[in-house]
Amino acid sequence: MSKELSKTLWRTLLPLLLGAAVAAWLVWRDVDADTLRGIVFDRRTAAGLLLAALSVFGRDFGLSWRFHTIAGGDLSWKRAFRTDIMCAFTSAITPSVVGGSALAIFYLNREGIKVGRATSLTLTTLFLDELFFVVFCPLITLFIPWDDLFGMPASDDSGEQIFFGSIKIVFWLVYTGICIWTAILYMAIIGKPDATKRLLYSIARLRVLKRFRGNLESVAENMSETSAWVKGRGMRWWLKVFISTTLSWFSRHFVVNSLFWAFVPSCSGVLVFARQFVVWVVLMVSPTPGGSGISEWLFANYYGDIIGDIGIAAVLALVWRCFSYYIYLVAGCLLLPSYFGQSKTSRK
């Protein structure tokens, strides 16, 4: 076993143990015999779980389609799908605040894409993901009352008030950061690439940033190359990559809708879908690998007020993580040996 493979497998244990510990705590705290008796497994439940599985497929199809499209035919569907799974696996074992998508450069390079072009492709996908939230989050807040979207405490309990109030504050702070970062990417890639490059070089020359000069200049060059690469791409190309991005994120949200339809169909599907935007934005600043532990806790408490039973919310949180998280840990671990054991040439 290679050193890189061994190290990655060991890193996989941390989110597994952390997630298992929080899951056990949630079950111990909120789930009792009455909760389990209240969960009915019938045809509707089976259909809902099947829809959740189809939504997972939609998520991966959308991202694979995007990789296949932006690579301009140099990445087959099979290799695009493999890159998508490995990116999801890396995101699952790295803190959300760090982000696992940066390693897409490495995975694309392993699939035969040159480093410079792989960097351009990765920056483009990053811009598209951020643009998705910039576009759709305001639409969600326009059509869903804020009290419903961000949750209302079921009582005058100060802990609940602090929790729901914090959700709103964190959401808007992170969303503001997303808007700023998206604007920077837009200016660097599409709007004013030359001016952005000069600005980054000027910043790199500051004495206080001398230590980071090489990194800043590298970022400037990468953004400039990305701008040259996307220049001249027609509206049809941009439409395809944005539709594939939207398909992927909507499918990711529909996993939760499918689970609610299966277990608590009385809840508003529109509200369940809208709250997923809040969940994913808040989880962008999670310090734990793949949001492990925090995701389960956030989901159970955030959706508990519309379910009316924190125990059922805890069970749904665990099922949701199986579909949206643990499945990629397993898939990534299965791909790792062959992925690191073959050269780029032999895989091509």
Side-chain angles (χ1 to χ4, degrees), residues 241-306:
V241 294
F242 189 73
I243 288 176
S244 61
T245 301
T246 303
L247 170 64
S248 173
W249 278 105
F250 272 34
S251 296
R252 199 177 316 214
H253 294 352
F254 276 127
V255 171
V256 178
N257 278 84
S258 300
L259 297 179
F260 267 79
W261 183 76
F263 293 99
V264 278
S266 59
C267 293
S268 168
V270 174
L271 181 58
V272 169
F273 181 82
R275 284 197 175 192
Q276 273 294 286
F277 283 86
V278 179
V279 168
W280 285 104
V281 168
V282 171
L283 288 178
M284 286 182 183
V285 292
S286 171
T288 61
S292 192
I294 293 178
S295 297
E296 293 86 349
W297 173 81
L298 174 63
F299 186 99
N301 287 276
Y302 185 44
Y303 279 105
D305 69 320
I306 62 175

Side-chain angles (χ1 to χ4, degrees), residues 37 72 155 168 195 306:
R37 281 194 294 266
S155 63
K168 184 187 297 185
I306 62 175

Side-chain angles (χ1 to χ4, degrees), residues 7-299:
K7 183 179 178 181
T8 304
L9 288 175
W10 275 109
R11 289 186 64 181
T12 307
L13 290 176
L14 177 60
L16 276 174
L17 293 174
L18 185 57
V22 173
W25 174 71
L26 286 173
V27 171
W28 173 80
R29 187 193 68 170
D30 301 319
V31 179
D32 53 23
D34 292 335
T35 299
L36 296 177
R37 281 194 294 266
I39 299 176
V40 178
F41 288 91
D42 53 17
R43 291 183 179 179
R44 185 191 189 97
T45 307
L49 293 174
L50 177 60
L51 285 174
L54 290 175
S55 297
V56 172
F57 172 79
R59 177 260 181 209
D60 293 311
F61 172 78
L63 291 184
S64 299
W65 180 20
R66 188 172 71 179
F67 274 124
H68 179 70
T69 301
I70 63 176
D74 292 335
L75 206 62
S76 67
W77 277 98
K78 178 180 178 180
R79 291 159 61 200
F81 177 75
R82 184 165 52 199
T83 302
D84 160 56
I85 295 298
M86 291 307 299
C87 287
F89 171 72
T90 306
S91 297
I93 63 174
T94 55
S96 301
V97 291
V98 176
S101 59
L103 274 179
I105 299 171
F106 168 75
Y107 296 129
L108 287 168
N109 181 241
R110 292 285 294 179
E111 296 294 350
I113 306 295
K114 292 183 178 180
V115 174
R117 191 175 178 210
T119 304
S120 298
L121 299 182
T122 302
L123 284 173
T124 305
T125 59
L126 178 61
F127 170 70
L128 289 165
D129 283 331
E130 306 301 318
L131 183 63
F132 171 82
F133 282 97
V134 170
V135 171
F136 284 101
C137 281
L139 295 177
I140 294 297
T141 58
L142 281 177
F143 293 103
I144 303 295
W146 283 27
D147 288 344
D148 293 337
L149 182 62
F150 294 106
M152 287 291 290
S155 63
D156 293 331
D157 182 82
S158 59
E160 287 188 353
Q161 292 178 355
I162 292 174
F163 171 77
F164 287 111
S166 300
I167 289 289
K168 184 187 297 185
I169 293 172
V170 173
F171 172 82
W172 286 118
L173 286 176
V174 177
Y175 178 72
T176 301
I178 292 173
C179 290
I180 294 172
W181 178 229
T182 305
I184 292 173
L185 288 173
Y186 173 80
M187 294 300 293
I189 297 174
I190 302 173
K192 299 288 184 180
D194 294 335
T196 304
K197 182 178 179 180
R198 289 194 298 269
L199 176 62
L200 285 174
Y201 267 95
S202 299
I203 294 174
R205 294 190 186 97
L206 295 176
R207 183 172 299 179
V208 295
L209 297 177
K210 183 179 180 180
R211 179 181 175 185
F212 306 101
R213 181 172 299 169
N215 290 334
L216 286 172
E217 290 178 351
S218 177
V219 169
E221 290 296 332
N222 288 335
M223 287 186 169
S224 179
E225 291 177 7
T226 303
S227 174
W229 180 75
V230 301
K231 187 177 181 180
R233 301 285 169 178
M235 182 60 65
R236 183 180 178 182
W237 184 88
W238 281 107
L239 189 62
K240 285 177 66 176
V241 294
F242 189 73
I243 288 176
S244 61
T245 301
T246 303
L247 170 64
S248 173
W249 278 105
F250 272 34
S251 296
R252 199 177 316 214
H253 294 352
F254 276 127
V255 171
V256 178
N257 278 84
S258 300
L259 297 179
F260 267 79
W261 183 76
F263 293 99
V264 278
S266 59
C267 293
S268 168
V270 174
L271 181 58
V272 169
F273 181 82
R275 284 197 175 192
Q276 273 294 286
F277 283 86
V278 179
V279 168
W280 285 104
V281 168
V282 171
L283 288 178
M284 286 182 183
V285 292
S286 171
T288 61
S292 192
I294 293 178
S295 297
E296 293 86 349
W297 173 81
L298 174 63
F299 186 99

